[in-house]
Amino acid sequence: MSNIAAMNQTSSFSQKCTQLSAVFACIACLMLPVSISGTDIACILSFVTLLASGQFKKKIQFLSQQPLVWLSLSVYAVVIVGCLWGQVPWHYRGIVLHKYIKLLYIPFLLLIFRQEKWQKHSINAFILGISINVVASYAKAAGLLPHWHRAATEMFIFHIYASYITAFAIYLVGHRLLFTKTNRLLHASLLTLFIGYEFFINISRAGYLITLLLFAMLMFQKYDWKKALTIFVVSSAGFIFILHHFSHTFNNKIQQTSTSFNEYSHVTKDTSWGFRLQFAKFSAGLIKERPLIGHGTGSFKYLFDKIGHNTIPGWTGSL
């Protein structure tokens, strides 16, 4: 009987740790649009409690059957193998290894969100976090937060990162609006709120493009390809027409892009898009030198610091 009681206690502890891990993961989803540090702390707590839950044999068996796990591990393995050649100092390699280590989050997340209820809770938490950031941005843009010393485009996080995750939130809310029949008014309101932020407040051009691509994917998920393509083209054209007439932010960024390309061709290469094109040429040159195995992990930043400033003298920032 004592052995049975011990097994029950172990099982109960494991279940509590698993649930606590999921709670921390949902908190991480909530913090994504609000605090990078908060997200990291919540992720660490989630992974630690997941490891404390034990049952490693079952977990490994489950993960071994997930193609996404093998894909993430394979990509990170390529990054590690890339450290075996080239003259890149380990400091530069470490930067890249640390950046790509987020691929190793995937097995943990698959374990944490196996149950559908936690998947829904995490999405709800993420949408709530986006809502906090978006509402704060609207308030700042309206002059309601005069003592908040941040721009309306980046209330809590960098505007480019904010545009990426807001685009994903637009997709999630749009998916619910199309495929579920509950809380349609709420989802429609959130969709309007998020789109307004993305195209009327945020200044990231990449966010505009990602939003349109995700909208296209959503249409193809809902309709056959002919209908989806028609809806996407007509809706996008109409939406861009509206933005052209009513969004100063959108027009300003499009004008900057056009000016940047014109200056790159006729005046100076040291513009926002000009630097991007110069970096692309520098990368193409490195690939041409070693097309098969490259220069090794971390080589781009190392080689740019070593010789790149001679190629792109106008660049004074860091990579």
Side-chain angles (χ1 to χ4, degrees), residues 237-258:
F239 186 58
I240 292 173
F241 177 82
I242 293 173
L243 292 175
H244 176 68
H245 284 81
F246 296 102
S247 176
H248 172 74
T249 301
F250 179 82
N251 282 320
N252 186 43
K253 297 306 293 185
I254 297 301
Q255 182 61 42
Q256 286 182 13
T257 302
S258 176

Side-chain angles (χ1 to χ4, degrees), residues 186-260:
L186 173 62
H187 291 142
S189 300
L190 288 173
L191 187 63
T192 304
L193 196 69
F194 294 170
I195 290 175
Y197 165 80
E198 189 80 325
F199 290 93
F200 288 83
I201 295 180
N202 197 289
I203 58 175
S204 171
R205 289 163 293 205
Y208 304 158
L209 179 61
I210 293 172
T211 302
L212 291 176
L213 291 175
L214 289 176
F215 172 62
M217 185 173 73
L218 188 60
M219 292 301 98
F220 282 103
Q221 288 175 331
K222 176 65 175 178
Y223 306 107
D224 63 81
W225 73 271
K226 289 184 179 180
K227 187 175 182 180
L229 185 61
T230 302
I231 293 174
F232 172 71
V233 172
V234 174
S235 300
S236 297
F239 186 58
I240 292 173
F241 177 82
I242 293 173
L243 292 175
H244 176 68
H245 284 81
F246 296 102
S247 176
H248 172 74
T249 301
F250 179 82
N251 282 320
N252 186 43
K253 297 306 293 185
I254 297 301
Q255 182 61 42
Q256 286 182 13
T257 302
S258 176
T259 302
S260 182

Side-chain angles (χ1 to χ4, degrees), residues 125-137:
F126 175 68
I127 292 174
L128 176 59
I130 291 290
S131 300
I132 293 172
N133 182 61
V134 167
V135 169
S137 298

